Amino acid sequence: VPRPAVEFDAPPEPKVWCGFPQYDEGPTYWDTHYEEDPEPYDWLEDYCDLRGLIEDVLGGDRAVRILHVGCGSSLLPELMHDDCYRDIVSIDTSAVAIRQMIRRNGVSRPGLRWLVQDALHTNFSDGEFDVAIEKSVLDTLACSSEPSAVVAA
């Protein structure tokens, strides 16, 4: 007995927005965010929560070269510096966040470096860092207009 043809509705278009701010506006969104809220902020966990994990992963070696990706206004590099990690480069696409971090740390933590760079297109050499730390960049990338393409890049 032949089965009757069944018609299916086309699947709904995937939502791009993820219910979060318009992250895929890129630096424009983040510059506005940090201008409106210049106070330091740690998304997810802070250094106190991550210290043991970081020490375990790095074997307690405080001389490692660290790249902190998507630093925003996180206190992580400052607190790591105060805990004797000295070679930390922090990058973010927000020039506003980077200026705020330099202003806050330039005198008290002169060894920290802060650069405006896109995590997907840096100008660092292979092997320039021993470890990269990122806490929230993947969430931001996943909420872009084409998350699969961006994350796969």
Side-chain angles (χ1 to χ4, degrees):
V1 174
R3 292 186 182 174
V6 177
E7 291 187 34
F8 295 99
D9 292 330
E13 290 293 316
K15 288 188 177 183
V16 172
W17 191 58
C18 300
F20 293 102
Q22 299 290 328
Y23 292 142
D24 61 339
E25 290 177 9
T28 302
Y29 169 81
W30 292 109
D31 284 345
T32 301
H33 171 79
Y34 293 116
E35 285 169 350
E36 293 174 357
D37 187 7
E39 292 301 311
Y41 183 77
D42 274 298
W43 297 73
L44 309 173
E45 307 293 332
D46 61 20
Y47 182 59
C48 292
D49 299 319
L50 298 172
R51 183 177 185 212
L53 175 64
I54 291 170
E55 285 181 353
D56 287 348
V57 169
L58 301 180
D61 182 1
R62 296 223 172 0
V64 294
R65 299 167 300 167
I66 300 168
L67 174 63
H68 182 206
V69 179
C71 63
S73 63
S74 172
L75 293 170
L76 182 73
E78 297 168 40
L79 296 174
M80 289 181 71
H81 176 276
D82 295 349
D83 196 20
C84 299
Y85 293 94
R86 295 293 190 250
D87 195 353
I88 304 172
V89 176
S90 297
I91 64 170
D92 201 283
T93 58
S94 172
V96 172
I98 295 298
R99 277 194 305 273
Q100 290 171 353
M101 298 300 273
I102 291 169
R103 196 173 308 125
R104 197 167 69 229
N105 294 287
V107 174
S108 60
R109 298 175 183 96
L112 296 179
R113 291 181 24 212
W114 310 92
L115 304 171
V116 177
Q117 286 199 29
D118 184 328
L120 298 175
H121 308 286
T122 69
N123 58 5
F124 300 118
S125 303
D126 288 346
E128 191 167 338
F129 299 97
D130 300 308
V131 65
I133 296 176
E134 80 80 29
K135 292 172 45 185
S136 297
V137 173
L138 190 57
D139 287 341
T140 300
L141 297 177
C143 289
S144 69
S145 58
E146 296 184 40
S148 296
V150 172
V151 173

